[in-house]
Amino acid sequence: MVSLRLRLGKAGRRWLLLFHRWAGIVAGLFFALWIGSGLVMLYVPFPALTEAERLSRLGPIAWDQVAVAPDAALRAGGLGGVPAAFGLEMRGGEPVYRIADRDGRRATVSARTGARLGPVTPEDALRLATEGTPEGAPDARVAPVERDQWTVTARYDPLRPFLKVALGDPAWTELYVSQVTGEIVLDTTRSERGWNWVGAVAHWIYLTPLRARPELWRAVLLWLSGFAALGALSGLAIGIWRLRLRRRYAGGAVTPYRGLGRWHHLFGLAGGIGLSTFILSGWISMNPNRWFSSSAAPATVRAAYAGQPRALGLTAEALRGFAGPGTRALRFATIGGSWWVVADDPADGTAGVPARRADDGAVLDDAAIARAAGAALPGGGLRAAERLGAYDLYWYPHGSDPRPLPVLRLRFGDPDATWLHVDPRDGTILQRLDRSGRINRWLFDAAHRLDLPGLTGSRLLHAAAQWVLNLLAAGIAVTGIVAGWRRLRRTLSA
């Protein structure tokens, strides 16, 4: 029996060494790719048009041209039902109502004539993209785009196809104008595009033909990161197994290896836990077996939260009473069966004027939000509501997303122990966190992004911790790649 256990132990160690060697040869380049691209992502996020940027591109609402009431615009849009998004803003020199239903369909209605506007032309896109640019951007060019590297994700599907306007400016700015709505939905510069090729695109393996097929992309990342995680964990196990602190090897060494192998072992001891945690948490980010719920509120919750409001009942003239001097857009939100009007000013952001109810001008308060949310999640009832004026363990700056304050946290007694984070200014549900989401916050955000107490509030400390751990991991990857190449060359030449 003892002899059998010894033989099995010896065979197990041999297979562990063989697996790690060949897993390292296969996955080593991916380790190096993920480490280097992750450091780039600390400073250059994936291109996106923020709400502040979007509002800054809009002109002030031309109130003298607004002649159509919101209810008439909804009828002209022809989408039916309670809209998921509804607002008034400028499209070039014309005020328009923009409407989106819960299936993603879009409609744009002229606030001047009440007509539903059709797809924009290349000439329209050029005019919309270059208004306000110096000298009208005479070198601007327009090209049609259905899907490309920067618009590959499904969230852009309702806005396709696009007209991409290259402004010909020193930054090589490109603006994407939706042919469906005439909105500028994305801006990129040459610097952003270049750095993202060695940043987010490489890190997420975000190649357009693959990412355009979400389930295939997810399966590839799951299998690849899962195999890489096993390779990293096997290396960590071997590193600890071969370490001797008491009965040392010849010459007092703590490692049996020499030359490059010695450096690989020592780097593995110093950074192996960090590398293994990084790779394993990256695998978890792909949500294996659908263990974790989305942080976006389900459509059923959003619909119940909105309720079934009657008509707004506002005239075109009455709208101006809800706007301030810097208002660039009015949004009409449905919360708890009532219409609320939100005035958006790029200078104010989320610290601006709270929403007001359309029928009586009452200011949106936490109690109204809590009542609407309580009806949306009736399973266990609303247990607690608190307004956060400072960040904490579950609401904190998240990469390039600063996350607004204050925020309203609503806790429910449903079977999933759901929390909702809601913007108290306009009632927008910003995040849904159930029990699985709070677990995922520690398994992925903490382990992969180092969103840890003491680090999330300091960009300097957070970046320093990332650099230290990634440089140690880079030492493991580089020494492993060189050793693997030498082994592979000997094998092939034998």
Side-chain angles (χ1 to χ4, degrees), residues 51 305 331-335 338 340-344 349-356 364-366 369 387 404 406 421-430:
E51 181 63 11
Y305 177 70
R331 285 184 288 127
F332 309 103
T334 50
I335 303 169
S338 296
W340 302 80
V341 184
V342 187
D344 287 331
T350 56
V353 179
R356 288 190 287 161
L364 180 65
D365 58 19
D366 295 356
I369 294 172
R387 181 180 280 233
H421 288 117
V422 182
D423 189 336
R425 172 184 172 244
D426 59 11
T428 300
I429 299 176
L430 301 172

PDB file of all heavy atoms in Angstrom, residues 51 305 331-335 338 340-344 349-356 364-366 369 387 404 406 421-430:
ATOM      1  N   GLU A  51     -21.847  60.709 -21.432  1.00  0.00           N
ATOM      2  CA  GLU A  51     -23.021  61.578 -21.462  1.00  0.00           C
ATOM      3  C   GLU A  51     -22.611  63.045 -21.430  1.00  0.00           C
ATOM      4  O   GLU A  51     -23.220  63.890 -22.106  1.00  0.00           O
ATOM      5  CB  GLU A  51     -23.937  61.256 -20.279  1.00  0.00           C
ATOM      6  CG  GLU A  51     -25.212  62.078 -20.229  1.00  0.00           C
ATOM      7  CD  GLU A  51     -26.138  61.872 -21.422  1.00  0.00           C
ATOM      8  OE1 GLU A  51     -25.902  60.934 -22.211  1.00  0.00           O
ATOM      9  OE2 GLU A  51     -27.103  62.655 -21.561  1.00  0.00           O
ATOM     10  N   TYR A 305     -41.047  49.350 -12.572  1.00  0.00           N
ATOM     11  CA  TYR A 305     -40.593  50.586 -11.915  1.00  0.00           C
ATOM     12  C   TYR A 305     -41.186  51.810 -12.623  1.00  0.00           C
ATOM     13  O   TYR A 305     -41.584  52.780 -11.969  1.00  0.00           O
ATOM     14  CB  TYR A 305     -39.070  50.622 -11.955  1.00  0.00           C
ATOM     15  CG  TYR A 305     -38.424  51.860 -11.386  1.00  0.00           C
ATOM     16  CD1 TYR A 305     -38.439  52.122 -10.024  1.00  0.00           C
ATOM     17  CD2 TYR A 305     -37.751  52.755 -12.221  1.00  0.00           C
ATOM     18  CE1 TYR A 305     -37.819  53.246  -9.507  1.00  0.00           C
ATOM     19  CE2 TYR A 305     -37.123  53.884 -11.710  1.00  0.00           C
ATOM     20  CZ  TYR A 305     -37.157  54.125 -10.353  1.00  0.00           C
ATOM     21  OH  TYR A 305     -36.539  55.233  -9.841  1.00  0.00           O
ATOM     22  N   ARG A 331     -35.394  65.398 -20.636  1.00  0.00           N
ATOM     23  CA  ARG A 331     -35.772  63.992 -20.662  1.00  0.00           C
ATOM     24  C   ARG A 331     -37.097  63.813 -19.934  1.00  0.00           C
ATOM     25  O   ARG A 331     -37.342  64.450 -18.904  1.00  0.00           O
ATOM     26  CB  ARG A 331     -34.698  63.125 -19.994  1.00  0.00           C
ATOM     27  CG  ARG A 331     -33.469  62.929 -20.846  1.00  0.00           C
ATOM     28  CD  ARG A 331     -32.480  61.995 -20.175  1.00  0.00           C
ATOM     29  NE  ARG A 331     -31.815  62.611 -19.038  1.00  0.00           N
ATOM     30  CZ  ARG A 331     -31.768  62.095 -17.827  1.00  0.00           C
ATOM     31  NH1 ARG A 331     -32.417  60.955 -17.556  1.00  0.00           N
ATOM     32  NH2 ARG A 331     -31.122  62.708 -16.853  1.00  0.00           N
ATOM     33  N   PHE A 332     -37.924  62.928 -20.483  1.00  0.00           N
ATOM     34  CA  PHE A 332     -39.221  62.630 -19.880  1.00  0.00           C
ATOM     35  C   PHE A 332     -39.149  61.196 -19.351  1.00  0.00           C
ATOM     36  O   PHE A 332     -39.137  60.240 -20.139  1.00  0.00           O
ATOM     37  CB  PHE A 332     -40.347  62.797 -20.899  1.00  0.00           C
ATOM     38  CG  PHE A 332     -40.300  64.118 -21.623  1.00  0.00           C
ATOM     39  CD1 PHE A 332     -39.825  64.202 -22.929  1.00  0.00           C
ATOM     40  CD2 PHE A 332     -40.690  65.293 -20.996  1.00  0.00           C
ATOM     41  CE1 PHE A 332     -39.757  65.411 -23.598  1.00  0.00           C
ATOM     42  CE2 PHE A 332     -40.624  66.507 -21.655  1.00  0.00           C
ATOM     43  CZ  PHE A 332     -40.152  66.569 -22.963  1.00  0.00           C
ATOM     44  N   ALA A 333     -39.068  61.055 -18.045  1.00  0.00           N
ATOM     45  CA  ALA A 333     -38.882  59.749 -17.416  1.00  0.00           C
ATOM     46  C   ALA A 333     -40.166  59.295 -16.749  1.00  0.00           C
ATOM     47  O   ALA A 333     -40.933  60.118 -16.221  1.00  0.00           O
ATOM     48  CB  ALA A 333     -37.756  59.826 -16.378  1.00  0.00           C
ATOM     49  N   THR A 334     -40.404  57.992 -16.780  1.00  0.00           N
ATOM     50  CA  THR A 334     -41.571  57.425 -16.109  1.00  0.00           C
ATOM     51  C   THR A 334     -41.111  56.682 -14.863  1.00  0.00           C
ATOM     52  O   THR A 334     -40.313  55.755 -14.941  1.00  0.00           O
ATOM     53  CB  THR A 334     -42.320  56.462 -17.043  1.00  0.00           C
ATOM     54  OG1 THR A 334     -41.397  55.537 -17.616  1.00  0.00           O
ATOM     55  CG2 THR A 334     -43.000  57.215 -18.165  1.00  0.00           C
ATOM     56  N   ILE A 335     -41.649  57.111 -13.720  1.00  0.00           N
ATOM     57  CA  ILE A 335     -41.295  56.515 -12.437  1.00  0.00           C
ATOM     58  C   ILE A 335     -42.574  56.371 -11.623  1.00  0.00           C
ATOM     59  O   ILE A 335     -43.276  57.357 -11.372  1.00  0.00           O
ATOM     60  CB  ILE A 335     -40.287  57.386 -11.653  1.00  0.00           C
ATOM     61  CG1 ILE A 335     -39.026  57.639 -12.478  1.00  0.00           C
ATOM     62  CG2 ILE A 335     -39.938  56.747 -10.313  1.00  0.00           C
ATOM     63  CD1 ILE A 335     -38.112  58.695 -11.881  1.00  0.00           C
ATOM     64  N   SER A 338     -45.895  57.904 -13.027  1.00  0.00           N
ATOM     65  CA  SER A 338     -45.967  59.347 -13.276  1.00  0.00           C
ATOM     66  C   SER A 338     -44.864  59.758 -14.239  1.00  0.00           C
ATOM     67  O   SER A 338     -43.805  59.121 -14.315  1.00  0.00           O
ATOM     68  CB  SER A 338     -45.809  60.134 -11.969  1.00  0.00           C
ATOM     69  OG  SER A 338     -46.866  59.870 -11.077  1.00  0.00           O
ATOM     70  N   TRP A 340     -41.970  62.406 -15.203  1.00  0.00           N
ATOM     71  CA  TRP A 340     -41.070  63.361 -14.569  1.00  0.00           C
ATOM     72  C   TRP A 340     -40.208  63.984 -15.649  1.00  0.00           C
ATOM     73  O   TRP A 340     -39.816  63.316 -16.611  1.00  0.00           O
ATOM     74  CB  TRP A 340     -40.192  62.677 -13.526  1.00  0.00           C
ATOM     75  CG  TRP A 340     -40.973  61.992 -12.451  1.00  0.00           C
ATOM     76  CD1 TRP A 340     -41.571  60.768 -12.519  1.00  0.00           C
ATOM     77  CD2 TRP A 340     -41.280  62.508 -11.154  1.00  0.00           C
ATOM     78  NE1 TRP A 340     -42.225  60.483 -11.349  1.00  0.00           N
ATOM     79  CE2 TRP A 340     -42.053  61.533 -10.485  1.00  0.00           C
ATOM     80  CE3 TRP A 340     -40.961  63.688 -10.485  1.00  0.00           C
ATOM     81  CZ2 TRP A 340     -42.531  61.702  -9.201  1.00  0.00           C
ATOM     82  CZ3 TRP A 340     -41.426  63.863  -9.193  1.00  0.00           C
ATOM     83  CH2 TRP A 340     -42.196  62.890  -8.555  1.00  0.00           C
ATOM     84  N   VAL A 341     -39.900  65.251 -15.503  1.00  0.00           N
ATOM     85  CA  VAL A 341     -39.119  65.978 -16.506  1.00  0.00           C
ATOM     86  C   VAL A 341     -37.751  66.307 -15.914  1.00  0.00           C
ATOM     87  O   VAL A 341     -37.657  66.883 -14.821  1.00  0.00           O
ATOM     88  CB  VAL A 341     -39.830  67.275 -16.949  1.00  0.00           C
ATOM     89  CG1 VAL A 341     -39.042  67.955 -18.064  1.00  0.00           C
ATOM     90  CG2 VAL A 341     -41.262  66.969 -17.406  1.00  0.00           C
ATOM     91  N   VAL A 342     -36.700  65.934 -16.655  1.00  0.00           N
ATOM     92  CA  VAL A 342     -35.314  66.127 -16.210  1.00  0.00           C
ATOM     93  C   VAL A 342     -34.629  67.085 -17.167  1.00  0.00           C
ATOM     94  O   VAL A 342     -34.643  66.868 -18.387  1.00  0.00           O
ATOM     95  CB  VAL A 342     -34.546  64.792 -16.179  1.00  0.00           C
ATOM     96  CG1 VAL A 342     -33.162  64.986 -15.553  1.00  0.00           C
ATOM     97  CG2 VAL A 342     -35.329  63.714 -15.452  1.00  0.00           C
ATOM     98  N   ALA A 343     -34.025  68.136 -16.642  1.00  0.00           N
ATOM     99  CA  ALA A 343     -33.275  69.089 -17.455  1.00  0.00           C
ATOM    100  C   ALA A 343     -31.790  68.760 -17.354  1.00  0.00           C
ATOM    101  O   ALA A 343     -31.233  68.726 -16.258  1.00  0.00           O
ATOM    102  CB  ALA A 343     -33.535  70.516 -16.980  1.00  0.00           C
ATOM    103  N   ASP A 344     -31.157  68.495 -18.492  1.00  0.00           N
ATOM    104  CA  ASP A 344     -29.739  68.124 -18.520  1.00  0.00           C
ATOM    105  C   ASP A 344     -28.897  69.298 -18.981  1.00  0.00           C
ATOM    106  O   ASP A 344     -29.134  69.869 -20.059  1.00  0.00           O
ATOM    107  CB  ASP A 344     -29.510  66.941 -19.458  1.00  0.00           C
ATOM    108  CG  ASP A 344     -30.022  65.635 -18.866  1.00  0.00           C
ATOM    109  OD1 ASP A 344     -30.021  65.516 -17.627  1.00  0.00           O
ATOM    110  OD2 ASP A 344     -30.423  64.743 -19.639  1.00  0.00           O
ATOM    111  N   GLY A 349     -24.042  68.151 -14.811  1.00  0.00           N
ATOM    112  CA  GLY A 349     -23.967  66.711 -14.665  1.00  0.00           C
ATOM    113  C   GLY A 349     -25.050  66.208 -13.729  1.00  0.00           C
ATOM    114  O   GLY A 349     -26.164  66.706 -13.692  1.00  0.00           O
ATOM    115  N   THR A 350     -24.691  65.214 -12.904  1.00  0.00           N
ATOM    116  CA  THR A 350     -25.685  64.637 -12.009  1.00  0.00           C
ATOM    117  C   THR A 350     -25.941  65.511 -10.783  1.00  0.00           C
ATOM    118  O   THR A 350     -26.781  65.186  -9.959  1.00  0.00           O
ATOM    119  CB  THR A 350     -25.219  63.246 -11.542  1.00  0.00           C
ATOM    120  OG1 THR A 350     -23.928  63.383 -10.939  1.00  0.00           O
ATOM    121  CG2 THR A 350     -25.140  62.283 -12.694  1.00  0.00           C
ATOM    122  N   ALA A 351     -25.218  66.614 -10.654  1.00  0.00           N
ATOM    123  CA  ALA A 351     -25.450  67.509  -9.519  1.00  0.00           C
ATOM    124  C   ALA A 351     -26.462  68.589  -9.858  1.00  0.00           C
ATOM    125  O   ALA A 351     -26.632  69.546  -9.107  1.00  0.00           O
ATOM    126  CB  ALA A 351     -24.130  68.146  -9.083  1.00  0.00           C
ATOM    127  N   GLY A 352     -27.136  68.466 -10.996  1.00  0.00           N
ATOM    128  CA  GLY A 352     -28.048  69.498 -11.457  1.00  0.00           C
ATOM    129  C   GLY A 352     -29.384  69.463 -10.739  1.00  0.00           C
ATOM    130  O   GLY A 352     -29.553  68.849  -9.690  1.00  0.00           O
ATOM    131  N   VAL A 353     -30.366  70.136 -11.334  1.00  0.00           N
ATOM    132  CA  VAL A 353     -31.694  70.271 -10.735  1.00  0.00           C
ATOM    133  C   VAL A 353     -32.411  68.923 -10.755  1.00  0.00           C
ATOM    134  O   VAL A 353     -32.428  68.236 -11.774  1.00  0.00           O
ATOM    135  CB  VAL A 353     -32.511  71.320 -11.511  1.00  0.00           C
ATOM    136  CG1 VAL A 353     -33.910  71.451 -10.922  1.00  0.00           C
ATOM    137  CG2 VAL A 353     -31.783  72.661 -11.505  1.00  0.00           C
ATOM    138  N   PRO A 354     -33.031  68.519  -9.637  1.00  0.00           N
ATOM    139  CA  PRO A 354     -33.749  67.246  -9.621  1.00  0.00           C
ATOM    140  C   PRO A 354     -34.937  67.260 -10.583  1.00  0.00           C
ATOM    141  O   PRO A 354     -35.447  68.318 -10.963  1.00  0.00           O
ATOM    142  CB  PRO A 354     -34.220  67.124  -8.168  1.00  0.00           C
ATOM    143  CG  PRO A 354     -33.344  68.041  -7.392  1.00  0.00           C
ATOM    144  CD  PRO A 354     -33.007  69.165  -8.324  1.00  0.00           C
ATOM    145  N   ALA A 355     -35.376  66.061 -10.958  1.00  0.00           N
ATOM    146  CA  ALA A 355     -36.543  65.925 -11.831  1.00  0.00           C
ATOM    147  C   ALA A 355     -37.775  66.508 -11.150  1.00  0.00           C
ATOM    148  O   ALA A 355     -37.897  66.502  -9.919  1.00  0.00           O
ATOM    149  CB  ALA A 355     -36.760  64.457 -12.164  1.00  0.00           C
ATOM    150  N   ARG A 356     -38.690  67.001 -11.994  1.00  0.00           N
ATOM    151  CA  ARG A 356     -39.968  67.516 -11.482  1.00  0.00           C
ATOM    152  C   ARG A 356     -41.106  66.792 -12.180  1.00  0.00           C
ATOM    153  O   ARG A 356     -41.026  66.464 -13.372  1.00  0.00           O
ATOM    154  CB  ARG A 356     -40.067  69.018 -11.732  1.00  0.00           C
ATOM    155  CG  ARG A 356     -39.143  69.836 -10.838  1.00  0.00           C
ATOM    156  CD  ARG A 356     -39.442  71.319 -10.954  1.00  0.00           C
ATOM    157  NE  ARG A 356     -38.977  71.850 -12.244  1.00  0.00           N
ATOM    158  CZ  ARG A 356     -39.408  72.986 -12.779  1.00  0.00           C
ATOM    159  NH1 ARG A 356     -40.343  73.691 -12.168  1.00  0.00           N
ATOM    160  NH2 ARG A 356     -38.918  73.410 -13.925  1.00  0.00           N
ATOM    161  N   LEU A 364     -38.795  65.438  -7.456  1.00  0.00           N
ATOM    162  CA  LEU A 364     -38.581  64.019  -7.195  1.00  0.00           C
ATOM    163  C   LEU A 364     -37.810  63.851  -5.881  1.00  0.00           C
ATOM    164  O   LEU A 364     -36.774  64.490  -5.663  1.00  0.00           O
ATOM    165  CB  LEU A 364     -37.786  63.384  -8.339  1.00  0.00           C
ATOM    166  CG  LEU A 364     -37.489  61.891  -8.216  1.00  0.00           C
ATOM    167  CD1 LEU A 364     -38.775  61.064  -8.249  1.00  0.00           C
ATOM    168  CD2 LEU A 364     -36.547  61.431  -9.330  1.00  0.00           C
ATOM    169  N   ASP A 365     -38.317  62.994  -5.006  1.00  0.00           N
ATOM    170  CA  ASP A 365     -37.629  62.752  -3.738  1.00  0.00           C
ATOM    171  C   ASP A 365     -37.406  61.259  -3.544  1.00  0.00           C
ATOM    172  O   ASP A 365     -37.891  60.414  -4.303  1.00  0.00           O
ATOM    173  CB  ASP A 365     -38.408  63.348  -2.563  1.00  0.00           C
ATOM    174  CG  ASP A 365     -39.836  62.809  -2.439  1.00  0.00           C
ATOM    175  OD1 ASP A 365     -40.121  61.736  -3.017  1.00  0.00           O
ATOM    176  OD2 ASP A 365     -40.659  63.454  -1.769  1.00  0.00           O
ATOM    177  N   ASP A 366     -36.667  60.928  -2.490  1.00  0.00           N
ATOM    178  CA  ASP A 366     -36.309  59.529  -2.241  1.00  0.00           C
ATOM    179  C   ASP A 366     -37.542  58.675  -1.973  1.00  0.00           C
ATOM    180  O   ASP A 366     -37.574  57.492  -2.339  1.00  0.00           O
ATOM    181  CB  ASP A 366     -35.350  59.439  -1.051  1.00  0.00           C
ATOM    182  CG  ASP A 366     -34.012  60.104  -1.326  1.00  0.00           C
ATOM    183  OD1 ASP A 366     -33.800  60.569  -2.467  1.00  0.00           O
ATOM    184  OD2 ASP A 366     -33.179  60.161  -0.399  1.00  0.00           O
ATOM    185  N   ILE A 369     -39.143  57.530  -5.247  1.00  0.00           N
ATOM    186  CA  ILE A 369     -38.327  56.477  -5.869  1.00  0.00           C
ATOM    187  C   ILE A 369     -38.519  55.155  -5.143  1.00  0.00           C
ATOM    188  O   ILE A 369     -38.679  54.099  -5.758  1.00  0.00           O
ATOM    189  CB  ILE A 369     -36.842  56.891  -5.871  1.00  0.00           C
ATOM    190  CG1 ILE A 369     -36.633  58.106  -6.782  1.00  0.00           C
ATOM    191  CG2 ILE A 369     -35.951  55.743  -6.308  1.00  0.00           C
ATOM    192  CD1 ILE A 369     -35.234  58.699  -6.707  1.00  0.00           C
ATOM    193  N   ARG A 387     -29.348  56.994   1.601  1.00  0.00           N
ATOM    194  CA  ARG A 387     -28.677  57.861   0.634  1.00  0.00           C
ATOM    195  C   ARG A 387     -27.191  57.902   0.987  1.00  0.00           C
ATOM    196  O   ARG A 387     -26.825  58.285   2.097  1.00  0.00           O
ATOM    197  CB  ARG A 387     -29.277  59.263   0.645  1.00  0.00           C
ATOM    198  CG  ARG A 387     -28.622  60.202  -0.357  1.00  0.00           C
ATOM    199  CD  ARG A 387     -29.258  61.576  -0.305  1.00  0.00           C
ATOM    200  NE  ARG A 387     -30.503  61.639  -1.038  1.00  0.00           N
ATOM    201  CZ  ARG A 387     -30.768  62.548  -1.986  1.00  0.00           C
ATOM    202  NH1 ARG A 387     -29.847  63.443  -2.320  1.00  0.00           N
ATOM    203  NH2 ARG A 387     -31.923  62.571  -2.589  1.00  0.00           N
ATOM    204  N   PRO A 404     -21.651  58.433  -9.913  1.00  0.00           N
ATOM    205  CA  PRO A 404     -22.099  59.680  -9.271  1.00  0.00           C
ATOM    206  C   PRO A 404     -22.385  59.517  -7.790  1.00  0.00           C
ATOM    207  O   PRO A 404     -22.681  58.431  -7.292  1.00  0.00           O
ATOM    208  CB  PRO A 404     -23.378  60.002 -10.051  1.00  0.00           C
ATOM    209  CG  PRO A 404     -23.887  58.671 -10.512  1.00  0.00           C
ATOM    210  CD  PRO A 404     -22.660  57.866 -10.817  1.00  0.00           C
ATOM    211  N   PRO A 406     -24.572  62.092  -4.757  1.00  0.00           N
ATOM    212  CA  PRO A 406     -25.033  60.984  -3.916  1.00  0.00           C
ATOM    213  C   PRO A 406     -25.765  59.922  -4.728  1.00  0.00           C
ATOM    214  O   PRO A 406     -26.127  60.153  -5.881  1.00  0.00           O
ATOM    215  CB  PRO A 406     -25.975  61.678  -2.932  1.00  0.00           C
ATOM    216  CG  PRO A 406     -26.528  62.832  -3.723  1.00  0.00           C
ATOM    217  CD  PRO A 406     -25.391  63.306  -4.588  1.00  0.00           C
ATOM    218  N   HIS A 421     -29.081  50.520  -6.862  1.00  0.00           N
ATOM    219  CA  HIS A 421     -28.477  51.839  -6.714  1.00  0.00           C
ATOM    220  C   HIS A 421     -29.159  52.761  -7.718  1.00  0.00           C
ATOM    221  O   HIS A 421     -29.150  52.483  -8.930  1.00  0.00           O
ATOM    222  CB  HIS A 421     -26.967  51.777  -6.969  1.00  0.00           C
ATOM    223  CG  HIS A 421     -26.216  51.098  -5.865  1.00  0.00           C
ATOM    224  ND1 HIS A 421     -25.509  49.934  -6.046  1.00  0.00           N
ATOM    225  CD2 HIS A 421     -26.085  51.413  -4.554  1.00  0.00           C
ATOM    226  CE1 HIS A 421     -24.954  49.568  -4.906  1.00  0.00           C
ATOM    227  NE2 HIS A 421     -25.289  50.449  -3.984  1.00  0.00           N
ATOM    228  N   VAL A 422     -29.754  53.841  -7.218  1.00  0.00           N
ATOM    229  CA  VAL A 422     -30.582  54.723  -8.035  1.00  0.00           C
ATOM    230  C   VAL A 422     -30.060  56.148  -7.919  1.00  0.00           C
ATOM    231  O   VAL A 422     -29.707  56.612  -6.830  1.00  0.00           O
ATOM    232  CB  VAL A 422     -32.061  54.660  -7.570  1.00  0.00           C
ATOM    233  CG1 VAL A 422     -32.932  55.545  -8.457  1.00  0.00           C
ATOM    234  CG2 VAL A 422     -32.561  53.220  -7.582  1.00  0.00           C
ATOM    235  N   ASP A 423     -30.023  56.854  -9.053  1.00  0.00           N
ATOM    236  CA  ASP A 423     -29.653  58.264  -9.052  1.00  0.00           C
ATOM    237  C   ASP A 423     -30.824  59.063  -8.480  1.00  0.00           C
ATOM    238  O   ASP A 423     -31.905  59.098  -9.083  1.00  0.00           O
ATOM    239  CB  ASP A 423     -29.344  58.715 -10.481  1.00  0.00           C
ATOM    240  CG  ASP A 423     -28.747  60.116 -10.554  1.00  0.00           C
ATOM    241  OD1 ASP A 423     -28.983  60.903  -9.622  1.00  0.00           O
ATOM    242  OD2 ASP A 423     -28.057  60.427 -11.539  1.00  0.00           O
ATOM    243  N   PRO A 424     -30.657  59.709  -7.320  1.00  0.00           N
ATOM    244  CA  PRO A 424     -31.795  60.416  -6.715  1.00  0.00           C
ATOM    245  C   PRO A 424     -32.218  61.648  -7.493  1.00  0.00           C
ATOM    246  O   PRO A 424     -33.321  62.163  -7.267  1.00  0.00           O
ATOM    247  CB  PRO A 424     -31.268  60.804  -5.325  1.00  0.00           C
ATOM    248  CG  PRO A 424     -29.784  60.855  -5.472  1.00  0.00           C
ATOM    249  CD  PRO A 424     -29.440  59.816  -6.504  1.00  0.00           C
ATOM    250  N   ARG A 425     -31.368  62.123  -8.410  1.00  0.00           N
ATOM    251  CA  ARG A 425     -31.727  63.309  -9.177  1.00  0.00           C
ATOM    252  C   ARG A 425     -32.803  63.009 -10.217  1.00  0.00           C
ATOM    253  O   ARG A 425     -33.761  63.759 -10.371  1.00  0.00           O
ATOM    254  CB  ARG A 425     -30.490  63.869  -9.880  1.00  0.00           C
ATOM    255  CG  ARG A 425     -30.807  64.996 -10.854  1.00  0.00           C
ATOM    256  CD  ARG A 425     -29.604  65.466 -11.616  1.00  0.00           C
ATOM    257  NE  ARG A 425     -30.003  66.398 -12.658  1.00  0.00           N
ATOM    258  CZ  ARG A 425     -29.864  66.177 -13.958  1.00  0.00           C
ATOM    259  NH1 ARG A 425     -29.348  65.063 -14.381  1.00  0.00           N
ATOM    260  NH2 ARG A 425     -30.245  67.084 -14.834  1.00  0.00           N
ATOM    261  N   ASP A 426     -32.647  61.890 -10.942  1.00  0.00           N
ATOM    262  CA  ASP A 426     -33.588  61.618 -12.030  1.00  0.00           C
ATOM    263  C   ASP A 426     -34.247  60.248 -11.937  1.00  0.00           C
ATOM    264  O   ASP A 426     -35.012  59.864 -12.818  1.00  0.00           O
ATOM    265  CB  ASP A 426     -32.902  61.770 -13.391  1.00  0.00           C
ATOM    266  CG  ASP A 426     -31.710  60.835 -13.561  1.00  0.00           C
ATOM    267  OD1 ASP A 426     -31.534  59.928 -12.738  1.00  0.00           O
ATOM    268  OD2 ASP A 426     -30.947  61.032 -14.528  1.00  0.00           O
ATOM    269  N   GLY A 427     -33.941  59.472 -10.873  1.00  0.00           N
ATOM    270  CA  GLY A 427     -34.587  58.179 -10.697  1.00  0.00           C
ATOM    271  C   GLY A 427     -34.036  57.063 -11.548  1.00  0.00           C
ATOM    272  O   GLY A 427     -34.612  55.965 -11.574  1.00  0.00           O
ATOM    273  N   THR A 428     -32.928  57.275 -12.239  1.00  0.00           N
ATOM    274  CA  THR A 428     -32.355  56.229 -13.089  1.00  0.00           C
ATOM    275  C   THR A 428     -31.794  55.099 -12.234  1.00  0.00           C
ATOM    276  O   THR A 428     -31.029  55.337 -11.291  1.00  0.00           O
ATOM    277  CB  THR A 428     -31.228  56.793 -13.973  1.00  0.00           C
ATOM    278  OG1 THR A 428     -31.759  57.820 -14.796  1.00  0.00           O
ATOM    279  CG2 THR A 428     -30.613  55.713 -14.841  1.00  0.00           C
ATOM    280  N   ILE A 429     -32.149  53.852 -12.561  1.00  0.00           N
ATOM    281  CA  ILE A 429     -31.558  52.693 -11.895  1.00  0.00           C
ATOM    282  C   ILE A 429     -30.157  52.503 -12.474  1.00  0.00           C
ATOM    283  O   ILE A 429     -29.986  52.153 -13.640  1.00  0.00           O
ATOM    284  CB  ILE A 429     -32.408  51.431 -12.095  1.00  0.00           C
ATOM    285  CG1 ILE A 429     -33.806  51.618 -11.495  1.00  0.00           C
ATOM    286  CG2 ILE A 429     -31.725  50.220 -11.458  1.00  0.00           C
ATOM    287  CD1 ILE A 429     -34.745  50.445 -11.736  1.00  0.00           C
ATOM    288  N   LEU A 430     -29.149  52.759 -11.663  1.00  0.00           N
ATOM    289  CA  LEU A 430     -27.765  52.715 -12.126  1.00  0.00           C
ATOM    290  C   LEU A 430     -27.169  51.318 -12.041  1.00  0.00           C
ATOM    291  O   LEU A 430     -26.281  50.973 -12.830  1.00  0.00           O
ATOM    292  CB  LEU A 430     -26.907  53.677 -11.295  1.00  0.00           C
ATOM    293  CG  LEU A 430     -27.329  55.145 -11.316  1.00  0.00           C
ATOM    294  CD1 LEU A 430     -26.516  55.937 -10.292  1.00  0.00           C
ATOM    295  CD2 LEU A 430     -27.155  55.734 -12.712  1.00  0.00           C
TER     296      LEU A 430
END
